[in-house]
Amino acid sequence: MRHQRREFLKLMGVGGAFTLLPIDIARAAGTPAPEDRAVYISASAGDADDYYVSAFNASGKILFEQALPGRGHDIGLRPNHVDVAAVERRPGLYGLILDRHTGDVRAKLHCPEDRRFYGHAIYSNDGRFLYITENDFDHARGVVSVWDAEDGYRRVAEFDSFGTGPHELHLMPGGEHLVIANGGLHTHPDFDGRTALNIDSMEPNLSIIDRRTGKLIHQASLKHDWHQLSIRHLDVAANGTIAAGFQYQGEINDQVPLVGIWQPGKEIRPIEAPDNVQYRMRQYCGSVRFDASGQVFGISCPRGGLVTFWDAKTNGFLTHIAAPDGCGLAATDRPGEFVGTSGLGNGWRLDAIRRKRVELPDDSHKSLHWDNHLRRITA
């Protein structure tokens, strides 16, 4: 493992004479970066069942808090526009379109009675359409709903997700295809909406569909022995590599992989951490995020109190950083660096190359409990 880390540091331009990545070696080696002027936005909660979408700057200073009618989950960012989409945690009924600068509500989305929002949304690259994962609970079928942002966010279509319990979705490079993490969990509002009713017959998968027609382009599943690995969260690198995090529905001591790499058209490749880290991941992965270089990705493990880091080039484990109840992750513009948040109110800068964690200096963000996902707004 030490040898693998040394080789990675050479690739990233730390402790070596060359780099194989299109990155700025000087900055990767520690030269101070320009001031981070980005804004970070996430669902959050107070101490009295009060829920918000909140934004903070690179120092951790809270910029706004917008109250929500229920617990949020992820935020979709409309390209080149003020709109952001906040979707309720599964099984959700509301979606709100907010102004990214002020938090003001600009539009409201209402889930059909026979559907439930499943927490994640993504816009098309031109900002015209918003895509949201949903549960067609009476038919144990996942769908992706389509909303026209230029027509008052009218619901204009829905596509099959080609699985059960779809959760996170992303655009593929080129912007014409959507990749969907179908978690495989069938739930129903009559059974609280979150209890899994099909643990013994789960069939999770990753599916890629055409965003305009809904046609299935690619699909991959894990081997049957791992059918209880719910594929929940994912991210996509600029070269089309997909990293995915799993949440195991079996026993805590079962030996199963929790991370996968997928090159569409091939099988999902499971990868594991060293045994001591793998056990600390507690069978549960939260956010998945590639860094600015597209080679490193982070996967948070809030139940284990750590964030793990992986090398997409070698399909190997790199390192981990302690992060109590840490789940939200957003990449900065520096290779190997992320901002992370926790349900305990913490905010950090996390450096996967040097295995460093630095607290955000402004304490105002500590007044909130941050939810599972974090997004970075650069303009």
Side-chain angles (χ1 to χ4, degrees):
M1 186 59 62
R2 290 180 180 176
H3 171 74
Q4 183 179 37
R5 180 169 170 79
R6 284 198 301 270
E7 292 303 308
F8 167 76
L9 292 175
K10 289 180 181 179
L11 292 175
M12 297 301 288
V14 180
F18 63 93
T19 177
L20 300 182
L21 292 173
I23 62 174
D24 185 329
I25 299 176
R27 287 182 58 192
T31 299
E35 180 183 358
D36 185 353
R37 298 183 181 277
V39 171
Y40 297 85
I41 188 167
S42 173
S44 62
D47 292 322
D49 292 329
D50 47 330
Y51 301 103
Y52 308 92
V53 165
S54 304
F56 60 88
N57 66 14
S59 296
K61 180 181 179 180
I62 296 293
L63 303 178
F64 69 76
E65 297 175 11
Q66 171 61 52
L68 298 177
R71 182 175 171 179
H73 192 62
D74 197 8
I75 308 293
L77 308 180
R78 188 176 181 186
N80 304 310
H81 202 279
V82 299
D83 286 357
V84 298
V87 182
E88 188 175 15
R89 178 182 186 238
R90 70 178 181 97
L93 288 171
Y94 79 80
L96 294 179
I97 307 302
L98 309 176
D99 185 309
R100 68 176 61 188
H101 301 301
T102 65
D104 292 343
V105 177
R106 293 171 52 81
K108 297 181 180 180
L109 311 181
H110 300 284
C111 195
E113 291 184 1
D114 58 350
R115 302 284 188 270
R116 291 294 185 271
F117 288 140
Y118 256 37
H120 287 269
I122 194 82
Y123 282 91
S124 57
N125 281 341
D126 62 5
R128 172 73 184 272
F129 295 106
L130 175 68
Y131 302 90
I132 303 177
T133 49
E134 296 183 8
N135 181 21
D136 174 6
F137 51 82
D138 282 334
H139 301 96
R141 181 178 72 105
V143 299
V144 176
S145 58
V146 186
W147 308 72
D148 189 341
E150 294 184 4
D151 189 13
Y153 282 93
R154 181 171 61 93
R155 184 188 177 105
V156 294
E158 74 172 28
F159 302 134
D160 200 315
S161 76
F162 295 93
T164 303
H167 200 53
E168 190 160 15
L169 76 172
H170 274 276
L171 285 173
M172 294 294 292
E176 293 305 308
H177 296 157
L178 291 165
V179 57
I180 306 155
N182 285 302
L185 298 174
H186 172 42
T187 60
H188 197 286
D190 290 348
F191 298 89
D192 81 15
R194 292 185 63 82
T195 299
L197 306 176
N198 65 330
I199 293 295
D200 293 334
S201 59
M202 291 171 56
E203 295 182 344
N205 68 58
L206 289 170
S207 295
I208 294 177
I209 66 171
D210 187 297
R211 74 170 183 89
R212 299 181 188 273
T213 67
K215 178 183 177 182
L216 180 65
I217 306 299
H218 295 288
Q219 187 176 73
S221 303
L222 296 162
K223 68 178 185 177
H224 181 71
D225 289 351
W226 294 334
H227 77 279
Q228 291 182 332
L229 283 170
S230 183
I231 305 175
R232 310 292 295 161
H233 297 111
L234 56 83
D235 198 11
V236 183
N239 67 358
T241 299
I242 298 164
F246 312 145
Q247 297 176 4
Y248 185 53
Q249 306 301 306
E251 298 299 321
I252 190 67
N253 291 322
D254 288 350
Q255 294 185 345
V256 293
L258 297 172
V259 176
I261 289 283
W262 186 35
Q263 302 287 350
K266 300 181 180 180
E267 297 297 314
I268 299 171
R269 178 168 181 166
I271 52 179
E272 297 186 53
D275 288 347
N276 63 321
V277 178
Q278 189 76 17
Y279 179 77
R280 287 181 60 192
M281 294 170 73
R282 306 297 289 173
Q283 311 287 42
Y284 188 96
C285 292
S287 293
V288 181
R289 194 70 64 232
F290 274 99
D291 77 334
S293 76
Q295 179 171 333
V296 180
F297 63 94
I299 293 189
S300 60
C301 305
R303 294 182 181 179
L306 70 160
V307 178
T308 58
F309 299 97
W310 310 76
D311 185 348
K313 188 177 182 69
T314 65
N315 298 316
F317 174 78
L318 290 175
T319 190
H320 71 281
I321 296 176
D325 201 25
C327 199
L329 283 178
T332 73
D333 59 359
R334 302 188 70 182
E337 186 182 70
F338 302 80
V339 169
T341 52
S342 87
L344 301 177
N346 302 97
W348 310 283
R349 283 189 178 268
L350 305 170
D351 186 335
I353 300 174
R354 294 164 191 79
R355 199 183 179 192
K356 289 177 58 179
R357 187 189 81 189
V358 178
E359 295 275 349
L360 299 184
D362 192 298
D363 285 342
S364 64
H365 67 279
K366 295 183 178 180
S367 64
L368 293 168
H369 306 282
W370 298 95
D371 215 284
N372 300 50
H373 301 283
L374 181 67
R375 298 292 173 180
R376 184 175 189 259
I377 301 172
T378 56

